[in-house]
Amino acid sequence: MASSERRIVTIDGPAGAGKTSVSRRAAGRLGLAYLDTGAMFRALALALGPGGHALPEGEIAARLAAMTFSLAGSGAETTLLVDGAPLPDAARTEEVGGWASNLAVLPVVREILRRAQQALGQCADLLAEGRDMGTVVFPEASRKFFLTASPEVRASRRERQLTALGKPADYAAILDAIRRRDDQDIHRAASPLIPADDALVIDTSELSEDMVVERIVTAASA
Ligand code: C5P
């Protein structure tokens, strides 16, 4: 089946807008595999460590090109495998998110990951979540969403998530990291974080997770 015949739904938006849990549930309801593209940037960040973005570009590209990405399971239970294994919890911290954001400004990183993401989209009907899914990676997607929320709401959500994982969480530090990551993601030259012209923008600040899932499922099924 050609990629154009695959069903692709995209969800983009900034850190902490509630994309991950909403995307997973919506994928299950819509019968689509779930692709968390932030996890691909985080996998590279974890592999390279804190100063990864400052390594020679050729070395970063070679390390990334040697990594393999695949999907196991289906719907809400889809797992992204990196070199055959799920991403460790250590990749989910704000700190690794910052390293990932540093690497995400590099066009060579975006290019290699764009191709890997499009290859996954040729193997399965997908709900793809990230920053540039609707604008750059899957511009032909059948339905596009852009989730947003105020930085304060996003920081409290992240604080709750980290606490639930038993990880240290400091609201002020998280808010500061979210603002810095937003600034870098929005202002980078390569694939900046912006809604696609044809995306449905949903501000989740005042909405429950159930309400956001319902809106997405209804709009994507129409
Ligand atoms: O979504 P998540 O917080 O896991 O993403 C980590 C970082 O990876 C983001 O801050 C962003 O810089 C980068 N990213 C990206 N494009 C994507 C997904 C993530 O630039 N499609």
Side-chain angles (χ1 to χ4, degrees):
M1 190 186 274
S3 66
S4 57
E5 293 170 50
R6 287 285 182 194
R7 180 161 184 231
I8 309 279
V9 170
T10 61
I11 300 187
D12 290 305
K19 296 190 305 292
T20 301
S21 34
V22 160
S23 298
R24 206 173 254 293
R25 288 178 56 192
R29 294 269 304 275
L30 293 166
L32 302 170
Y34 164 60
L35 174 63
D36 171 4
T37 61
M40 299 168 88
F41 287 85
R42 286 173 185 267
L44 177 66
L46 200 61
L48 298 180
H53 64 285
L55 291 169
E57 210 171 276
E59 193 178 326
I60 297 174
R63 291 285 294 277
L64 180 55
M67 293 169 87
T68 61
F69 298 97
S70 56
L71 295 176
S74 61
E77 308 308 321
T78 313
T79 307
L80 173 74
L81 302 180
V82 182
D83 295 333
L87 206 58
D89 280 348
R92 298 284 167 199
T93 62
E94 250 338 281
E95 191 184 17
V96 175
W99 304 348
S101 178
N102 292 337
L103 288 161
V105 302
L106 302 174
V108 68
V109 167
R110 305 210 68 84
E111 182 56 22
I112 295 172
L113 285 182
R114 178 181 64 77
R115 277 196 242 120
Q117 290 151 6
Q118 288 173 339
L120 291 170
Q122 283 175 359
C123 302
D125 292 340
L126 276 191
L127 187 152
E129 176 220 321
R131 302 290 188 289
D132 57 346
M133 294 299 102
T135 48
V136 174
V137 180
F138 298 113
E140 77 292 0
S142 58
R143 205 66 175 91
K144 302 177 184 177
F145 299 91
F146 190 90
L147 301 192
T148 182
S150 71
E152 291 76 13
V153 166
R154 292 189 278 130
S156 333
R157 286 179 184 161
R158 201 59 127 190
E159 185 187 20
R160 278 201 301 275
Q161 276 170 1
L162 291 172
T163 307
L165 288 172
K167 298 201 183 318
D170 170 36
Y171 174 82
I174 295 170
L175 181 58
D176 187 53
I178 279 185
R179 288 209 169 108
R180 268 187 285 120
R181 195 135 70 92
D182 276 1
D183 189 59
Q184 183 154 274
D185 287 350
I186 291 166
H187 294 108
R188 70 178 170 227
S191 309
L193 172 66
I194 42 161
D197 288 341
D198 50 350
L200 176 65
V201 178
I202 304 176
D203 186 332
T204 69
S205 304
E206 309 285 327
L207 300 176
S208 68
E209 194 178 295
D210 285 354
M211 290 161 91
V212 181
V213 171
E214 230 30 71
R215 271 193 204 187
I216 289 172
V217 170
T218 305
S221 310

